[in-house]
Amino acid sequence: AIVGYLLIAFITVYFSAALVAGANARLTGGDPTFGSSIAEANRRLPRILGWSVVVATVSIVIDAIESRSDALGTIMASIFSAAWSVVTYLAIPIIVLEDLGPIAALKRSGALLKQTWGENIITNGGIGLIGIIVVFLPTLALVVLGIASGTPFVAVPLIAIAVVWCLVGATVLAALSGIARTALYRYAVDGTVPTAFVGAGLEQAFATKPARR
């Protein structure tokens, strides 16, 4: 079970790191490719592995609390999970772009959170809301319709479509999240909204402020 947690964490972190590398190159005027993004992730492989261990450990602890606790424990685990997600939102961009280890990246992410907590909540919450409206609700509706039909000839295709929609939607949301956290990182360290976000309505989630390190 522990190996499974670590494998899932590593795959997630590795490809998130590659996405961040590509997004950062694009936001700073570069022309990234899939190969160049993967190469950047490979350069940070020891850091990525270290962060994967941290992520897997936290996931194990949260799951253990949820499975062995009463309703209050489950609520506390959910709160901790949400807080962890917010505090570590910029950890992967920091690991990739500043070449910091897991502990240093966690501290740095926490420090940047103090400067961008409002924007962090907006981007995090916004993507979560998109996920609910565009992915979760349609998937649920298709499954319910399939079951309610009472016939396999209708249920099987609808559930199959729901599964595909959910997988595609999850992939797109993961990409959006990687781009958003990279943009937020650039905003946090540069003090200005990334050019690619200006004019797209997304600048409303940010407010220009002095650069900081």
Side-chain angles (χ1 to χ4, degrees):
I2 295 177
V3 174
Y5 276 98
L6 182 57
L7 180 60
I8 292 173
F10 176 77
I11 292 173
T12 302
V13 173
Y14 178 82
F15 285 103
S16 294
L19 177 60
V20 164
N24 183 70
R26 177 66 68 182
L27 290 173
T28 53
D31 188 22
T33 63
F34 178 79
S36 66
S37 300
I38 291 295
E40 285 299 311
N42 289 338
R43 291 180 57 220
R44 301 288 186 257
L45 205 54
R47 307 292 199 189
I48 289 172
L49 181 58
W51 183 245
S52 300
V53 172
V54 173
V55 171
T57 301
V58 172
S59 296
I60 291 172
V61 171
I62 292 175
D63 287 351
I65 293 174
E66 288 181 333
S67 63
R68 300 178 184 178
S69 302
D70 54 16
L72 179 60
T74 301
I75 293 174
M76 294 302 296
S78 298
I79 293 174
F80 176 74
S81 178
W84 173 259
S85 177
V86 171
V87 171
T88 62
Y89 193 65
L90 297 179
I92 293 180
I94 290 169
I95 289 171
V96 174
L97 304 176
E98 298 187 16
D99 194 21
L100 296 181
I103 303 303
L106 180 59
K107 292 179 180 179
R108 173 81 166 139
S109 182
L112 292 181
L113 171 64
K114 295 177 182 179
Q115 302 166 353
T116 61
W117 66 270
E119 296 85 355
N120 189 315
I121 297 298
I122 290 173
T123 52
N124 233 333
I127 291 174
L129 183 59
I130 292 174
I132 292 174
I133 296 174
V134 178
V135 180
F136 176 73
L137 291 181
T139 299
L140 179 62
L142 288 170
V143 172
V144 170
L145 287 174
I147 295 175
S149 69
T151 170
F153 295 103
V154 176
V156 172
L158 285 178
I159 292 176
I161 293 173
V163 171
V164 173
W165 182 263
C166 184
L167 292 175
V168 172
T171 301
V172 172
L173 285 175
L176 288 175
S177 178
I179 295 170
R181 73 177 63 194
T182 305
L184 181 58
Y185 169 82
R186 292 257 56 98
Y187 166 72
V189 300
D190 298 336
T192 58
V193 181
T195 303
F197 279 61
V198 176
L202 296 176
E203 68 271 18
Q204 295 175 4
F206 304 96
T208 303
K209 58 184 71 174
R212 78 278 294 185
R213 287 292 296 181

